[in-house]
Amino acid sequence: MDKRNREHLTRDGIRLHEPGDFEGMHRAGRLAAEILDAVAPMVRVGQSTGALDEAIGKLIDDAGAVSATIGYRGYRHASCISVNHVVCHGIPSKRKVLKNGDILNIDVTVIVNGWHGDSSRMYTAGTISRRAERLIRVTHDALMRAIEAVRPGNTFGDVGHAVQNYVESHRMSVVREFCGHGLGQVFHAPPNVLHYGSPGSHAELREGMFFTIEPMVNLGRPETKILPDDWTAVTRDRSLSAQFEHAVGVTADGCEVFTLSPAGLFSPIRN
């Protein structure tokens, strides 16, 4: 590693990006958000998750971008689509057809001029239960509270605590096995962004850090297990799970969200 690269890493190995790097992240993040906006009308009863993934792959190709997930550790799809009790990393399939009342998370990561745009959000098929609606609302609002905690001088523990405190106050649970991550010109980098923790713990937030916040929240217990495909994570008690994800960059006085929905469609539940 050369001297310049060493100077741009914290002692925790977290990269501090230059002001000009924010523009690259905004472009990549906006494309990821535009794709998630475009797929919204396609989510309906009778639609397969495989067809949704094919549409996402075409949108990425048409934009002249690259899917970060295709080929990643052998993964073969342009998205992860996680339905009902699937926590994350659900594999799209033509055999998985959406039913009335299903809730699903769609997770997309694109590469635009070397920069990664990574975001996920919830969708609904047909009429969902009030419990599912409440889960989606709490998960979305927990992410928003975490983003409010992102500013120089705070810590990653403050971010995780914001999620945990809000979720548990609503008698739901935060998944421990999966977390957010640093990103930029790499898909996954330090730090691990936990969605639970104590105020003041872990590394201090500094201007130029780029990372995702992506809480996974269960209606039941927090424990998960991985299915034999080595990708799909599900709740052990088969309770419903929800997730929202934004990519953010720390600024001098707060943060910028790179993956805002241009159409205002980030959550299917309207306040």
Side-chain angles (χ1 to χ4, degrees):
M1 183 181 297
D2 62 31
K3 183 174 184 291
R4 181 180 179 277
N5 282 338
R6 287 198 304 271
E7 290 173 346
H8 285 74
L9 294 177
T10 71
R11 64 182 181 182
D12 301 291
I14 305 170
R15 178 162 295 281
L16 302 178
H17 295 84
E18 299 288 345
D21 296 337
F22 279 74
E23 180 58 32
M25 289 298 289
H26 274 294
R27 289 177 181 173
R30 182 179 178 88
L31 178 60
E34 288 174 342
I35 289 169
L36 291 174
D37 284 351
V39 79
M42 307 176 199
V43 178
R44 57 183 179 271
V45 175
Q47 181 69 280
S48 74
T49 60
L52 292 173
D53 181 71
E54 286 185 358
I56 290 166
K58 185 175 187 306
L59 288 165
I60 294 172
D61 290 343
D62 289 349
V66 175
S67 168
T69 57
I70 295 177
Y72 180 79
R73 297 183 179 178
Y75 195 74
R76 296 183 294 175
H77 302 276
S79 64
C80 294
I81 303 180
S82 304
V83 182
N84 293 335
H85 71 290
V86 178
V87 175
C88 60
H89 304 158
I91 300 175
S93 170
K94 288 290 185 65
R95 295 189 299 274
K96 180 58 180 178
V97 175
L98 298 176
K99 304 185 298 295
N100 184 58
D102 282 347
I103 64 172
L104 57 151
N105 175 275
I106 302 180
D107 191 343
V108 170
T109 306
V110 298
I111 307 173
V112 179
N113 297 326
W115 295 98
H116 288 71
D118 188 1
S119 185
S120 81
R121 65 178 78 157
M122 295 301 295
Y123 299 81
T124 63
T127 303
I128 64 172
S129 69
R130 293 184 65 182
R131 294 175 76 243
E133 179 178 335
R134 183 167 169 265
L135 171 66
I136 291 172
R137 189 187 305 275
V138 167
T139 308
H140 171 272
D141 292 351
L143 171 60
M144 295 302 109
R145 280 161 173 76
I147 290 172
E148 289 173 1
V150 177
R151 58 181 178 272
N154 275 3
T155 69
F156 284 100
D158 295 322
V159 175
H161 179 74
V163 173
Q164 182 182 9
N165 185 59
Y166 185 75
V167 169
E168 292 181 353
S169 74
H170 287 81
R171 299 179 181 274
M172 300 178 192
S173 63
V174 177
V175 171
R176 274 21 179 212
E177 291 91 341
F178 302 96
C179 60
H181 53 88
L183 82 167
Q185 291 184 306
V186 294
F187 192 175
H188 294 96
N192 288 332
V193 182
L194 305 181
H195 304 115
Y196 60 94
S198 302
S201 64
H202 302 296
E204 182 177 321
L205 298 169
R206 293 175 58 183
E207 184 178 359
M209 290 179 173
F210 296 164
F211 52 88
T212 68
I213 310 174
E214 45 186 297
M216 286 145 273
V217 177
N218 298 343
L219 267 179
R221 293 185 57 81
E223 293 85 7
T224 68
K225 65 178 180 180
I226 307 297
L227 297 186
D229 61 28
D230 290 330
W231 282 103
T232 308
V234 300
T235 55
R236 282 191 174 272
D237 62 5
R238 296 190 64 84
S239 63
L240 291 177
S241 187
Q243 179 187 19
F244 283 92
E245 175 185 12
H246 270 318
V248 304
V250 183
T251 64
D253 57 0
C255 78
E256 293 182 9
V257 179
F258 299 129
T259 46
L260 293 172
S261 165
L265 300 176
F266 187 64
S267 175
I269 308 300
R270 300 289 175 252
N271 290 321

